[in-house]
Amino acid sequence: RREREKRRRREDIIRAAEKLFDQKGYEAVTIQEIARRTELGKGTIYLYFQSKDELFLAVCAKGIAGFKDHVDVAVGRGKSIEGKVKAIYLSYIEFFMSIPHVYGILRDTFNERTRNRLSKESIDIINWTIAEMLYYGSLQVREGIDSGLFRDDVDPYSFSVMAWRMATALIELAILDDPGV
């Protein structure tokens, strides 16, 4: 029972931090605000997370884990190589359009001001996760090249980077508050 309560409390902290980071941005959020939101003491937050960096990373990791699961399911449904490649990028758009606040938090990890306040370890974890997803996309493209679906002069990694960036641009356009876009 204690372990369940600890897991629930940790999840409550992450959910509260997620909402605050989304509303105010990384820089403006304090551990004290998160403590108030969860009705816990500031010291209790530090029992679960050593720093705001670590808590921010936990919020990002939660979003990325959900995304990876979503991609795996989508790719698994793909019948052909082409279907699998499409599934990767379309599932990215679909997933983050369904939870734009998490996308906003993850997008903040590319903001130089946010990165300057994160620990090197946090940035390394974020970079590694991004590289892993780019590599995953490039593996699918490589399979398409090997099967003759794609031209053999296509660089799989470059294709993956371009496809991720195009999908990201589509998400950015879609979540704009400007109704004219």
Side-chain angles (χ1 to χ4, degrees):
R1 191 187 90 211
R2 276 189 181 167
E3 283 304 311
R4 264 194 326 268
E5 288 174 6
K6 284 175 76 173
R7 281 193 305 271
R8 183 188 52 76
R9 188 172 293 133
R10 186 177 195 283
E11 283 302 312
D12 288 347
I13 294 167
I14 291 172
R15 271 193 301 278
E18 182 181 305
K19 288 177 184 169
L20 287 167
F21 287 138
D22 178 49
Q23 292 166 358
K24 300 174 82 175
Y26 173 81
E27 293 177 39
V29 174
T30 66
I31 292 293
Q32 185 63 44
E33 286 177 289
I34 296 167
R36 273 195 302 272
R37 178 77 58 104
T38 55
E39 299 179 345
L40 297 170
K42 187 176 173 181
T44 303
I45 303 294
Y46 284 113
L47 290 175
Y48 290 87
F49 301 96
Q50 293 179 8
S51 65
K52 187 169 85 168
D53 267 9
E54 187 180 340
L55 181 50
F56 183 75
L57 187 60
V59 169
C60 291
K62 178 183 170 200
I64 290 169
F67 167 60
K68 284 182 181 178
D69 293 343
H70 190 76
V71 168
D72 287 342
V73 168
V75 169
R77 287 191 307 246
K79 302 279 187 242
S80 65
I81 303 287
E82 184 179 8
K84 290 178 182 183
V85 171
K86 285 180 180 178
I88 291 171
Y89 306 106
L90 291 175
S91 67
Y92 172 55
I93 294 168
E94 178 185 87
F95 181 78
F96 285 111
M97 288 302 299
S98 71
I99 51 170
H101 68 284
V102 173
Y103 174 78
I105 293 166
L106 293 171
R107 181 187 57 214
D108 281 354
T109 65
F110 292 100
N111 176 309
E112 189 173 345
R113 273 195 340 242
T114 301
R115 280 186 169 243
N116 286 338
R117 296 184 188 278
L118 292 174
S119 68
K120 181 185 178 333
E121 293 79 22
S122 294
I123 291 171
D124 287 346
I125 290 168
I126 291 165
N127 288 344
W128 182 84
T129 303
I130 293 164
E132 181 182 36
M133 294 313 295
L134 289 169
Y135 179 71
Y136 183 69
S138 70
L139 287 178
Q140 302 302 316
V141 174
R142 168 53 57 201
E143 196 174 328
I145 293 168
D146 293 345
S147 72
L149 177 65
F150 300 129
R151 295 184 341 222
D152 63 0
D153 63 342
V154 170
D155 179 281
Y157 190 78
S158 294
F159 178 93
S160 182
V161 169
M162 286 188 318
W164 283 113
R165 293 308 303 153
M166 284 189 287
T168 299
L170 290 171
I171 295 168
E172 292 284 338
L173 285 172
I175 62 175
L176 278 176
D177 287 332
D178 184 352
V181 176

